[in-house]
């Protein structure tokens, strides 16, 4: 472990990427606070997984509520919109998918920023990935750089203090590299839930998130420790 690098707020969804980020923050010497958002997601079980992961890693866990479902526009929050299944990789990257939640990462980082300023942390950690990012515009380096600049002109700590940094340690890693990193860090991958359409804790195996996860484990040569309804 590195020397003490101070506090960090780590956005923790309960999935593979954010769990790896939390383990990474611990390895790097940060004192992390794990922050999860109940934003009206249909796959709400991920919040319980996040709680279990934070407990396993021995870090403080906070849950904030922000009802993005009231705004609509995403298959992750609207019952009437179907989660896409069995798409090939070319289709996943061809456009912005219906599972995109309008401005979600902007909202999540804004709440993480408020949490960080309130508790004295100066680092925000997010599991954004620009390689296997499934078409989401708010997982790109341009967005993260712009938000960091915003954080440092929109807050008291940014204007009067040392300022904030937004860190995305997985940004340029493939899913296979993320799996290997998570395994090396001892992240509790068996507790993670990546699926957009889980049932009774079992991942579907067919949505974009499941397919990218399965691809990553296959590339890493690591056995995925979670069950799936289907892997066809």
């Amino acid at each position: 472990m590195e020397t003490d690098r101070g506090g960090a707020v780590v956005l923790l969804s309960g999935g593979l990427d954010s769990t790896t980020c939390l383990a990474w923050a611990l390895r790097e010497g940060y004192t992390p606070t794990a922050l999860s958002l109940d934003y009206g997601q249909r796959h709400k079980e991920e919040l319980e997984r996040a709680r279990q992961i934070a407990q396993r890693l021995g870090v403080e866990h906070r849950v904030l509520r922000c009802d993005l479902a009231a705004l609509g526009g995403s298959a992750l929050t609207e019952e009437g919109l179907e989660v896409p299944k069995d798409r090939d990789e070319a289709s996943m990257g061809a456009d912005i998918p219906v599972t995109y939640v309008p401005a979600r990462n902007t909202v999540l980082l804004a709440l993480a920023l408020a949490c960080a300023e309130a508790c004295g942390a100066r680092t925000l950690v997010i599991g954004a990935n620009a390689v296997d990012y499934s078409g989401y515009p708010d997982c790109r380096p341009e967005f993260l750089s712009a938000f960091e600049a915003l954080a440092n002109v929109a807050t008291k700590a940014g204007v009067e203090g040392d300022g904030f940094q937004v860190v995305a340690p997985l940004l340029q890693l493939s899913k296979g590299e993320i799996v290997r990193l998570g395994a090396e860090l001892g992240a509790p991958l068996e507790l993670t839930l990546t699926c957009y359409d889980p049932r009774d804790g079992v991942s579907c195996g067919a949505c974009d998130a499941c397919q990218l996860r399965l691809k990553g484990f296959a590339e890493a040569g690591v056995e995925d420790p979670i069950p799936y309804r289907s892997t066809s």
Side-chain angles (χ1 to χ4, degrees):
M1 181 182 291
E2 300 289 337
T3 56
D4 182 14
R5 301 181 70 172
V9 175
V10 181
L11 285 168
L12 181 66
S13 70
L16 168 66
D17 293 357
S18 64
T19 299
T20 300
C21 281
L22 183 57
W24 173 88
L26 286 166
R27 196 271 309 268
E28 292 298 302
Y30 290 102
T31 301
T33 296
L35 180 65
S36 301
L37 277 295
D38 181 354
Y39 61 86
Q41 61 267 55
R42 291 162 59 185
H43 52 306
K44 205 173 286 287
E45 185 176 337
E46 68 176 11
L47 294 171
E48 171 59 20
R49 298 299 185 91
R51 184 194 68 78
Q52 294 174 16
I53 290 160
Q55 183 177 50
R56 175 75 64 85
L57 293 177
V59 305
E60 179 185 1
H61 183 223
R62 299 184 182 183
V63 179
L64 296 180
R65 291 178 177 84
C66 180
D67 188 12
L68 298 182
L71 303 176
S74 172
L76 297 191
T77 58
E78 280 194 50
E79 293 288 346
L81 295 177
E82 291 189 8
V83 171
K85 302 283 182 67
D86 298 313
R87 302 202 304 165
D88 59 34
E89 201 168 343
S91 298
M92 291 183 204
D95 54 17
I96 297 173
V98 71
T99 50
Y100 164 74
V101 179
R104 179 177 61 177
N105 279 355
T106 305
V107 173
L108 300 190
L109 277 172
L111 292 172
L113 175 63
C115 179
E117 186 169 34
C119 71
R122 294 295 176 263
T123 300
L124 312 180
V125 182
I126 184 172
N129 178 257
V131 178
D132 290 323
Y133 76 108
S134 192
Y136 297 131
D138 54 2
C139 287
R140 298 175 299 161
E142 300 95 317
F143 164 72
L144 298 173
S145 296
F147 190 91
E148 181 175 276
L150 170 68
N152 286 305
V153 297
T155 58
K156 178 180 178 180
V159 173
E160 297 181 354
D162 297 330
F164 295 93
Q165 61 173 345
V166 176
V167 179
L170 313 183
L171 190 63
Q172 301 299 337
L173 301 185
S174 70
K175 267 290 188 283
E177 290 170 327
I178 293 169
V179 170
R180 282 193 291 270
L181 177 60
E184 290 167 6
L185 292 170
L189 303 183
E190 73 279 3
L191 296 179
T192 59
L193 181 69
T194 303
C195 183
Y196 292 152
D197 187 27
R199 295 179 192 170
D200 299 321
V202 180
S203 297
C204 73
C207 68
D208 292 357
C210 279
Q211 290 201 66
L212 289 172
R213 177 186 173 118
L214 286 163
K215 172 176 173 281
F217 274 91
E219 288 177 351
V222 176
E223 183 178 356
D224 193 340
I226 69 169
Y228 291 89
R229 298 197 302 275
S230 169
T231 55
S232 59

Coordinates of all heavy atoms in Angstrom, one line a residue, residues 70-128:
A70 N -38.1 9.4 -12.5 CA -39.2 10.4 -12.7 C -39.0 11.1 -14.0 O -40.0 11.6 -14.6 CB -39.3 11.4 -11.6
L71 N -37.8 11.2 -14.5 CA -37.5 11.8 -15.8 C -37.7 10.9 -17.0 O -37.9 11.4 -18.1 CB -36.1 12.4 -15.8 CG -35.7 13.3 -14.6 CD1 -34.3 13.7 -14.7 CD2 -36.6 14.6 -14.7
G72 N -37.6 9.6 -16.8 CA -37.8 8.6 -17.9 C -36.6 8.6 -18.8 O -35.5 9.1 -18.5
G73 N -36.8 8.0 -20.0 CA -35.8 8.1 -21.0 C -34.8 7.0 -21.0 O -33.8 7.0 -21.8
S74 N -34.9 5.9 -20.2 CA -34.0 4.9 -20.1 C -34.6 3.5 -19.8 O -35.5 3.5 -18.9 CB -32.9 5.2 -19.1 OG -32.0 4.1 -18.9
A75 N -34.1 2.5 -20.4 CA -34.6 1.1 -20.1 C -34.2 0.7 -18.7 O -34.8 -0.3 -18.2 CB -34.1 0.1 -21.1
L76 N -33.3 1.4 -18.1 CA -32.9 1.0 -16.7 C -33.8 1.6 -15.7 O -33.7 1.2 -14.5 CB -31.4 1.5 -16.4 CG -30.3 0.9 -17.3 CD1 -29.0 1.2 -16.7 CD2 -30.5 -0.6 -17.4
T77 N -34.7 2.5 -16.1 CA -35.6 3.1 -15.1 C -37.0 3.0 -15.5 O -37.9 3.2 -14.7 CB -35.2 4.6 -14.9 OG1 -35.3 5.3 -16.2 CG2 -33.8 4.8 -14.3
E78 N -37.3 2.7 -16.7 CA -38.7 2.7 -17.2 C -39.1 1.2 -17.5 O -38.5 0.5 -18.3 CB -38.9 3.5 -18.5 CG -39.0 5.0 -18.3 CD -39.5 5.7 -19.6 OE1 -40.5 5.2 -20.1 OE2 -38.9 6.6 -20.0
E79 N -40.2 0.8 -16.9 CA -40.7 -0.5 -17.1 C -41.1 -0.8 -18.5 O -41.0 -1.9 -19.0 CB -41.9 -0.8 -16.2 CG -41.6 -0.8 -14.7 CD -40.8 -2.1 -14.3 OE1 -40.8 -3.0 -15.1 OE2 -40.3 -2.1 -13.2
G80 N -41.6 0.2 -19.2 CA -42.1 0.0 -20.6 C -41.0 -0.1 -21.6 O -41.3 -0.5 -22.8
L81 N -39.7 0.1 -21.3 CA -38.6 0.0 -22.2 C -37.9 -1.3 -22.0 O -37.5 -1.6 -20.8 CB -37.7 1.2 -22.1 CG -38.3 2.6 -22.5 CD1 -37.3 3.7 -22.3 CD2 -38.7 2.6 -24.0
E82 N -37.6 -2.1 -23.0 CA -36.9 -3.3 -22.8 C -35.4 -3.2 -22.9 O -34.9 -2.4 -23.7 CB -37.4 -4.3 -23.9 CG -38.8 -4.8 -23.8 CD -39.1 -5.9 -24.8 OE1 -38.2 -6.4 -25.4 OE2 -40.3 -6.3 -24.9
V83 N -34.7 -3.9 -22.0 CA -33.3 -3.9 -22.0 C -32.9 -4.8 -23.2 O -33.3 -5.9 -23.4 CB -32.7 -4.6 -20.7 CG1 -31.2 -4.8 -20.9 CG2 -33.1 -3.7 -19.5
P84 N -32.0 -4.2 -24.1 CA -31.6 -5.0 -25.3 C -30.8 -6.2 -24.9 O -30.1 -6.2 -23.9 CB -30.6 -4.0 -26.0 CG -31.0 -2.6 -25.5 CD -31.4 -2.8 -24.1
K85 N -31.0 -7.3 -25.7 CA -30.4 -8.6 -25.4 C -29.8 -9.1 -26.7 O -30.2 -8.8 -27.8 CB -31.4 -9.6 -24.9 CG -32.2 -9.2 -23.6 CD -31.3 -9.4 -22.4 CE -32.1 -9.0 -21.1 NZ -33.2 -10.0 -20.8
D86 N -28.7 -9.9 -26.5 CA -28.1 -10.7 -27.5 C -27.6 -9.8 -28.7 O -27.6 -10.2 -29.9 CB -29.0 -11.8 -28.1 CG -29.4 -12.8 -27.0 OD1 -28.5 -13.2 -26.3 OD2 -30.6 -13.1 -26.9
R87 N -27.1 -8.6 -28.4 CA -26.5 -7.8 -29.4 C -25.0 -8.1 -29.6 O -24.3 -8.4 -28.6 CB -26.7 -6.3 -29.0 CG -28.1 -5.9 -28.8 CD -28.3 -4.4 -29.0 NE -27.4 -3.6 -28.1 CZ -27.2 -2.3 -28.3 NH1 -27.7 -1.7 -29.3 NH2 -26.4 -1.6 -27.5
D88 N -24.5 -8.0 -30.8 CA -23.1 -8.2 -31.0 C -22.4 -6.9 -30.7 O -23.0 -5.8 -30.5 CB -22.8 -8.6 -32.5 CG -23.3 -7.7 -33.5 OD1 -23.3 -6.4 -33.3 OD2 -23.7 -8.1 -34.6
E89 N -21.0 -7.0 -30.6 CA -20.2 -5.9 -30.1 C -20.3 -4.7 -31.1 O -20.3 -3.5 -30.6 CB -18.8 -6.3 -30.0 CG -18.0 -5.4 -29.1 CD -16.6 -6.1 -28.7 OE1 -16.4 -7.3 -28.9 OE2 -15.8 -5.3 -28.2
A90 N -20.5 -4.9 -32.4 CA -20.6 -3.8 -33.3 C -21.9 -3.0 -33.1 O -21.9 -1.8 -33.1 CB -20.6 -4.3 -34.7
S91 N -22.9 -3.8 -32.8 CA -24.2 -3.1 -32.5 C -24.1 -2.3 -31.2 O -24.7 -1.2 -31.1 CB -25.3 -4.1 -32.4 OG -25.5 -4.8 -33.6
M92 N -23.4 -2.8 -30.2 CA -23.3 -2.1 -28.9 C -22.6 -0.8 -29.1 O -23.0 0.2 -28.4 CB -22.5 -3.0 -27.9 CG -23.2 -4.2 -27.5 SD -22.1 -5.1 -26.2 CE -22.7 -6.7 -26.4
G93 N -21.7 -0.7 -30.0 CA -20.9 0.5 -30.1 C -21.4 1.4 -31.2 O -20.8 2.5 -31.5
A94 N -22.5 1.0 -31.9 CA -23.0 1.8 -33.1 C -23.7 3.1 -32.7 O -23.7 4.1 -33.4 CB -23.8 0.9 -33.9
D95 N -24.4 3.1 -31.5 CA -25.1 4.3 -31.1 C -25.2 4.3 -29.6 O -24.7 3.4 -28.9 CB -26.5 4.3 -31.8 CG -27.3 3.0 -31.5 OD1 -26.9 2.2 -30.6 OD2 -28.3 2.7 -32.2
I96 N -25.9 5.3 -29.1 CA -26.1 5.4 -27.7 C -27.3 4.5 -27.3 O -28.4 4.8 -27.8 CB -26.3 6.9 -27.2 CG1 -25.1 7.7 -27.5 CG2 -26.7 6.9 -25.7 CD1 -25.3 9.2 -27.3
P97 N -27.1 3.5 -26.5 CA -28.2 2.5 -26.3 C -29.3 3.1 -25.4 O -29.1 4.1 -24.7 CB -27.4 1.4 -25.6 CG -26.3 2.0 -24.9 CD -25.9 3.2 -25.8
V98 N -30.4 2.4 -25.4 CA -31.6 2.8 -24.6 C -31.3 2.6 -23.1 O -32.1 3.1 -22.3 CB -32.8 2.0 -25.1 CG1 -32.7 0.5 -24.7 CG2 -34.1 2.6 -24.6
T99 N -30.3 1.9 -22.7 CA -29.9 1.7 -21.3 C -29.1 3.0 -20.8 O -28.9 3.0 -19.6 CB -29.1 0.5 -21.1 OG1 -28.0 0.5 -22.1 CG2 -29.9 -0.8 -21.3
Y100 N -28.8 3.9 -21.7 CA -28.2 5.2 -21.2 C -29.3 5.9 -20.4 O -30.4 6.1 -20.8 CB -27.8 6.0 -22.4 CG -27.5 7.5 -22.1 CD1 -26.4 7.8 -21.4 CD2 -28.4 8.5 -22.5 CE1 -26.1 9.2 -21.1 CE2 -28.2 9.8 -22.2 CZ -27.0 10.1 -21.5 OH -26.8 11.5 -21.2
V101 N -28.9 6.3 -19.2 CA -29.7 7.1 -18.3 C -29.3 8.6 -18.5 O -28.2 8.9 -18.2 CB -29.5 6.7 -16.8 CG1 -30.4 7.5 -15.9 CG2 -29.9 5.2 -16.6
P102 N -30.3 9.4 -18.9 CA -29.9 10.8 -19.2 C -29.1 11.5 -18.1 O -29.6 11.6 -16.9 CB -31.3 11.5 -19.4 CG -32.1 10.4 -19.9 CD -31.7 9.2 -19.2
A103 N -27.9 11.9 -18.4 CA -27.0 12.7 -17.5 C -26.6 12.0 -16.2 O -26.2 12.6 -15.3 CB -27.6 14.1 -17.2
R104 N -26.7 10.6 -16.2 CA -26.5 9.9 -15.0 C -25.1 10.2 -14.4 O -25.0 10.5 -13.2 CB -26.7 8.4 -15.2 CG -26.4 7.6 -13.9 CD -26.7 6.1 -14.0 NE -25.8 5.6 -15.0 CZ -25.7 4.3 -15.3 NH1 -26.6 3.4 -14.7 NH2 -24.9 3.8 -16.2
N105 N -24.1 10.0 -15.1 CA -22.7 10.2 -14.5 C -22.5 11.7 -14.1 O -21.8 11.9 -13.2 CB -21.6 9.8 -15.5 CG -21.5 8.3 -15.5 OD1 -22.1 7.6 -14.6 ND2 -20.6 7.7 -16.3
T106 N -23.1 12.6 -14.8 CA -23.0 14.0 -14.4 C -23.7 14.2 -13.0 O -23.1 14.8 -12.1 CB -23.7 14.9 -15.4 OG1 -23.2 14.7 -16.7 CG2 -23.5 16.4 -15.0
V107 N -24.8 13.6 -12.8 CA -25.5 13.7 -11.5 C -24.8 12.9 -10.5 O -24.6 13.4 -9.3 CB -27.0 13.1 -11.7 CG1 -27.6 13.0 -10.3 CG2 -27.8 14.0 -12.6
L108 N -24.3 11.7 -10.8 CA -23.6 10.9 -9.8 C -22.3 11.7 -9.3 O -22.0 11.7 -8.1 CB -23.2 9.6 -10.4 CG -24.3 8.6 -10.8 CD1 -23.8 7.2 -11.1 CD2 -25.5 8.6 -9.8
L109 N -21.5 12.2 -10.3 CA -20.3 12.9 -9.9 C -20.6 14.2 -9.1 O -19.9 14.5 -8.2 CB -19.5 13.2 -11.2 CG -18.6 12.0 -11.7 CD1 -18.0 12.4 -13.0 CD2 -17.5 11.7 -10.7
A110 N -21.7 14.8 -9.5 CA -22.1 16.1 -8.7 C -22.4 15.7 -7.3 O -21.9 16.4 -6.3 CB -23.3 16.7 -9.4
L111 N -23.1 14.6 -7.0 CA -23.4 14.2 -5.7 C -22.1 13.7 -5.0 O -21.9 14.0 -3.8 CB -24.4 13.1 -5.7 CG -25.8 13.6 -6.1 CD1 -26.8 12.4 -6.3 CD2 -26.4 14.6 -5.1
A112 N -21.2 13.0 -5.7 CA -19.9 12.6 -5.1 C -19.1 13.8 -4.8 O -18.4 13.8 -3.7 CB -19.2 11.7 -6.1
L113 N -19.2 14.9 -5.6 CA -18.4 16.1 -5.3 C -18.9 16.8 -4.0 O -18.2 17.2 -3.2 CB -18.6 17.0 -6.5 CG -18.0 18.5 -6.4 CD1 -16.5 18.4 -6.2 CD2 -18.4 19.3 -7.6
A114 N -20.3 16.8 -3.9 CA -20.8 17.4 -2.7 C -20.4 16.6 -1.5 O -20.1 17.2 -0.4 CB -22.4 17.5 -2.8
C115 N -20.5 15.3 -1.6 CA -20.1 14.4 -0.5 C -18.6 14.6 -0.1 O -18.2 14.7 1.0 CB -20.3 12.9 -0.9 SG -19.8 11.7 0.4
A116 N -17.8 14.7 -1.2 CA -16.3 14.9 -0.9 C -16.1 16.3 -0.3 O -15.3 16.3 0.7 CB -15.6 14.8 -2.3
E117 N -16.7 17.3 -0.7 CA -16.5 18.6 -0.1 C -16.9 18.6 1.3 O -16.3 19.2 2.2 CB -17.2 19.7 -0.9 CG -16.8 21.1 -0.4 CD -17.3 22.2 -1.3 OE1 -18.4 22.1 -1.9 OE2 -16.6 23.2 -1.4
A118 N -18.1 18.0 1.6 CA -18.6 18.0 3.0 C -17.7 17.2 3.9 O -17.6 17.5 5.1 CB -20.0 17.4 3.0
C119 N -17.1 16.1 3.4 CA -16.3 15.3 4.3 C -14.8 15.5 4.2 O -14.0 14.9 4.9 CB -16.6 13.8 4.1 SG -15.9 13.1 2.5
G120 N -14.4 16.5 3.4 CA -13.0 16.9 3.3 C -12.1 16.1 2.3 O -10.9 16.2 2.3
A121 N -12.8 15.2 1.5 CA -12.0 14.5 0.5 C -11.8 15.4 -0.7 O -12.6 16.3 -1.0 CB -12.8 13.2 0.1
R122 N -10.8 15.1 -1.4 CA -10.5 15.9 -2.6 C -10.3 15.0 -3.9 O -9.9 15.5 -4.9 CB -9.2 16.7 -2.4 CG -9.3 17.7 -1.3 CD -10.3 18.8 -1.7 NE -10.6 19.8 -0.7 CZ -11.6 19.7 0.2 NH1 -12.5 18.8 0.1 NH2 -11.8 20.7 1.1
T123 N -10.6 13.7 -3.8 CA -10.5 12.9 -5.0 C -11.8 12.2 -5.2 O -12.4 11.6 -4.2 CB -9.4 11.8 -4.7 OG1 -8.2 12.5 -4.6 CG2 -9.3 10.9 -6.0
L124 N -12.3 12.2 -6.4 CA -13.5 11.5 -6.8 C -13.0 10.3 -7.7 O -12.3 10.5 -8.7 CB -14.5 12.4 -7.6 CG -14.8 13.7 -7.0 CD1 -15.8 14.5 -7.9 CD2 -15.4 13.6 -5.6
V125 N -13.5 9.1 -7.4 CA -13.1 7.9 -8.2 C -14.3 7.3 -8.9 O -15.3 7.1 -8.2 CB -12.4 6.9 -7.3 CG1 -12.0 5.7 -8.2 CG2 -11.2 7.5 -6.6
I126 N -14.2 7.1 -10.2 CA -15.4 6.6 -10.9 C -14.9 5.5 -11.9 O -13.8 5.6 -12.4 CB -16.1 7.7 -11.7 CG1 -17.3 7.2 -12.5 CG2 -15.1 8.4 -12.7 CD1 -18.1 8.3 -13.2
G127 N -15.7 4.5 -12.1 CA -15.3 3.3 -12.9 C -15.6 3.5 -14.4 O -15.9 2.5 -15.0
A128 N -15.5 4.7 -14.9 CA -15.8 5.0 -16.3 C -14.7 4.2 -17.1 O -13.6 4.1 -16.8 CB -15.7 6.5 -16.6

